[in-house]
Amino acid sequence: MNLVLLTPSEIDAQGNVVLVDRRHEHLTSVLRVDPGQTVRIGVIDGPRGTATVEQVNGERIELRCTLETETPPRPAVDLLLALPRPKVLRRLWAQLAALGVDRIVLTNAARVERHYFDTHVLSPSCYEPLLLEGLQQARDTRVPRVSIHRRFRVLVEDELDALCPGGLRVAAHPSANGSIAPALTARPASRVVLAVGPEGGWTGFELDLLAAHGFGRISAGPRTLRTDTAVIALLALAHEVLRAPNREP
Amino acid sequence: MNLVLLTPSEIDAQGNVVLVDRRHEHLTSVLRVDPGQTVRIGVIDGPRGTATVEQVNGERIELRCTLETETPPRPAVDLLLALPRPKVLRRLWAQLAALGVDRIVLTNAARVERHYFDTHVLSPSCYEPLLLEGLQQARDTRVPRVSIHRRFRVLVEDELDALCPGGLRVAAHPSANGSIAPALTARPASRVVLAVGPEGGWTGFELDLLAAHGFGRISAGPRTLRTDTAVIALLALAHEVLRAPNREP
């Protein structure tokens, strides 16, 4: 936990917060803070800041917060992801939030098994704490916005433009040749919408539908990766090319 | 399993192989192959090829192999990794092999806990099957070479030049500014040696020792990532910049 996330309502008018939960435990057992020390904090979907430890004991910790004036911008990458196996998705939530994703758009696809939709891993009570864990790791406050779509075609044809307007759209497919960098050079944009298929890949119909809606085809390289590895690799590459100072020739 | 790996001794002089183990199960239950079909195969640390299914039943499958003449080159990236928690390392083995690493050099560091060295996750009987799983995913035959080092200083001062000769050396550190791409532009090389520290980071002494032995400092971006996420992100970035056609100006 490189930053302690707080809800806006936890901070009183004087900037004071009392923590009694896992965050208290983390600050006392892992960081072993003493009165007078400062820790990094952030308000969920609000500004970051620092807090001074006022009082601490075995049950509670009192912090006095000083917040920055600006809220960090939302990450410049959206992820359209064919719903992975529950076990894989469970591991991905925190990593997606840490890497930086604005919208996580989970979708059905021909090679997604139906029962994947029945898992508790898709319930906010499961994934919200994992998203916060990832944000606290990466020192961000912007919670990814999650939506779940059972009809791929309806999503791509009718909903996606509103969910993810603008930006470079790319669909990952193992047999594709190009990578994200040349795609962004060819079509400069300040955001990327990255589509990653199911373990067995997108079908021809799905690739065609994505292409018809502006998704160029890219790969994470010549090696075929597991979905979870590929998603992390591609998000890292997307952020890297968006950051590159001279990517627009 | 996108490629079935075989040991050289499994193939007889006529190119025939009989499989009775998990590979038989995978070919019959997952890929549901029939006689006459071809499957992708590879010889461990040898060439790739294809095999025709000659006979198949509930107990055994007979393949006739045709191998390519060339063995794929070893990956152009070595990883120097401070030993992570056993649970994290267990998840990483297959992903490292899939992403492509020549040498996996695991090392002690000030912020590595001693008991991490006692785990069975460091025994070849645990990690070799996981490395093969990753290679079969990525269609590679080159098994990463693993070595384990309990003395960081001895490793960096006396052993590393022989283990990882040449190549661009970079050490990942969250507070560093640059990424791999400009480092490789500044010092063109055909290989990369990537050093990734423990969860708590390298110490000043360790960073200085790495710097004295040619490691430039880079990061995977402004967000602090968990070790396993960072390793995947950085390996993807390293391979991407090594592949880029015009990386040497």
Side-chain angles (χ1 to χ4, degrees):
Chain A
M1 206 187 285
N2 295 311
L3 167 139
V4 177
L5 279 175
L6 310 165
T7 60
S9 63
E10 285 179 311
I11 310 176
D12 73 13
Q14 284 72 48
N16 294 316
V17 176
V18 176
L19 299 177
V20 296
D21 57 7
R22 284 182 57 197
R23 294 167 295 178
H24 161 264
E25 200 186 309
H26 182 82
L27 288 167
T28 52
S29 313
V30 181
L31 300 183
R32 298 169 187 275
V33 297
D34 290 312
Q37 247 182 281
T38 60
V39 294
R40 291 167 195 261
I41 54 148
V43 178
I44 291 175
D45 280 317
R48 284 178 285 231
T50 53
T52 307
V53 179
E54 300 278 312
Q55 285 203 325
V56 55
N57 62 37
E59 277 161 22
R60 61 206 296 279
I61 184 165
E62 263 184 67
L63 303 173
R64 176 177 288 261
C65 305
T66 310
L67 295 173
E68 295 170 3
T69 48
E70 306 251 313
T71 294
R74 293 199 152 274
V77 180
D78 294 321
L79 176 66
L80 169 64
L81 178 64
L83 191 61
R85 277 184 297 137
K87 192 178 143 187
V88 172
L89 183 58
R90 203 193 174 288
R91 273 205 306 264
L92 271 179
W93 286 121
Q95 298 189 84
L96 298 181
L99 286 156
V101 179
D102 182 359
R103 285 192 184 273
I104 301 174
V105 180
L106 294 169
T107 179
N108 197 7
R111 296 191 183 125
V112 168
E113 305 214 13
R114 289 240 175 134
H115 68 87
Y116 291 0
F117 281 92
D118 303 329
T119 170
H120 79 286
V121 176
L122 287 178
S123 66
S125 63
C126 173
Y127 67 69
E128 281 174 359
L130 296 169
L131 293 177
L132 296 186
E133 181 190 316
L135 293 178
Q136 293 181 125
Q137 166 72 39
R139 294 201 182 101
D140 193 8
T141 68
R142 289 298 208 165
V143 186
R145 296 178 280 186
V146 177
S147 60
I148 299 162
H149 305 262
R150 284 171 177 263
R151 297 165 69 193
F152 177 75
R153 185 172 182 164
V154 171
L155 167 66
V156 176
E157 289 184 343
D158 302 336
E159 299 166 349
L160 201 61
D161 286 348
L163 283 171
C164 312
L168 175 74
R169 292 180 166 189
V170 288
H173 195 64
S175 68
N177 274 321
S179 70
I180 296 181
L184 197 65
T185 304
R187 293 179 62 177
S190 58
R191 297 184 60 80
V192 167
V193 186
L194 171 67
V196 178
E199 208 60 64
W202 299 109
T203 62
F205 167 80
E206 289 161 351
L207 282 171
D208 290 346
L209 192 69
L210 288 167
H213 289 80
F215 283 84
R217 218 172 284 183
I218 55 133
S219 83
R223 306 170 76 95
T224 306
L225 302 174
R226 247 164 47 191
T227 299
D228 51 343
T229 318
V231 166
I232 295 169
L234 289 161
L235 287 175
L237 293 170
H239 279 291
E240 174 81 4
V241 291
L242 285 170
R243 264 195 309 269
N246 49 1
R247 67 192 162 76
E248 290 175 35
Chain B
M1 205 187 284
N2 295 311
L3 167 141
V4 178
L5 278 176
L6 309 166
T7 61
S9 62
E10 285 179 311
I11 311 176
D12 74 13
Q14 285 72 48
N16 294 315
V17 175
V18 175
L19 298 179
V20 295
D21 57 6
R22 284 182 57 198
R23 294 167 296 178
H24 162 264
E25 202 186 307
H26 183 82
L27 288 166
T28 53
S29 312
V30 182
L31 300 183
R32 297 169 189 276
V33 297
D34 290 314
Q37 245 181 281
T38 59
V39 293
R40 291 168 195 260
I41 54 149
V43 178
I44 291 174
D45 280 317
R48 284 178 285 233
T50 54
T52 308
V53 179
E54 300 278 313
Q55 287 203 325
V56 56
N57 63 37
E59 276 161 23
R60 61 206 295 277
I61 184 165
E62 263 184 65
L63 304 173
R64 176 178 288 262
C65 306
T66 309
L67 296 173
E68 295 169 3
T69 49
E70 307 249 315
T71 295
R74 293 199 152 274
V77 180
D78 294 321
L79 176 66
L80 169 64
L81 179 64
L83 191 62
R85 277 184 297 138
K87 192 177 144 188
V88 171
L89 182 58
R90 204 194 171 289
R91 275 205 306 264
L92 271 179
W93 287 120
Q95 299 190 83
L96 297 182
L99 286 156
V101 179
D102 183 359
R103 285 192 184 272
I104 301 174
V105 179
L106 294 169
T107 179
N108 197 7
R111 294 188 185 129
V112 168
E113 306 213 15
R114 288 241 175 135
H115 68 88
Y116 291 1
F117 281 94
D118 303 328
T119 170
H120 77 287
V121 176
L122 287 178
S123 67
S125 63
C126 173
Y127 67 70
E128 281 175 357
L130 296 169
L131 293 177
L132 295 186
E133 181 190 317
L135 293 178
Q136 293 182 125
Q137 166 72 39
R139 294 201 183 102
D140 192 7
T141 67
R142 290 299 208 162
V143 186
R145 296 178 281 186
V146 177
S147 60
I148 298 162
H149 305 261
R150 284 173 177 261
R151 296 164 71 193
F152 177 77
R153 183 170 182 167
V154 171
L155 166 66
V156 176
E157 290 185 341
D158 303 335
E159 299 167 348
L160 201 60
D161 286 348
L163 283 171
C164 312
L168 175 74
R169 291 179 166 189
V170 288
H173 195 64
S175 68
N177 274 319
S179 69
I180 296 182
L184 198 64
T185 304
R187 293 180 61 178
S190 57
R191 298 185 61 81
V192 167
V193 186
L194 171 67
V196 178
E199 208 61 64
W202 299 109
T203 62
F205 167 78
E206 289 161 351
L207 282 170
D208 289 346
L209 193 67
L210 288 168
H213 289 81
F215 283 84
R217 219 172 283 185
I218 56 132
S219 83
R223 306 170 76 92
T224 306
L225 302 173
R226 244 164 50 191
T227 298
D228 51 343
T229 317
V231 165
I232 296 169
L234 289 162
L235 286 175
L237 293 170
H239 279 290
E240 174 83 2
V241 291
L242 284 170
R243 264 195 309 270
N246 49 0
R247 69 190 161 78
E248 289 175 35

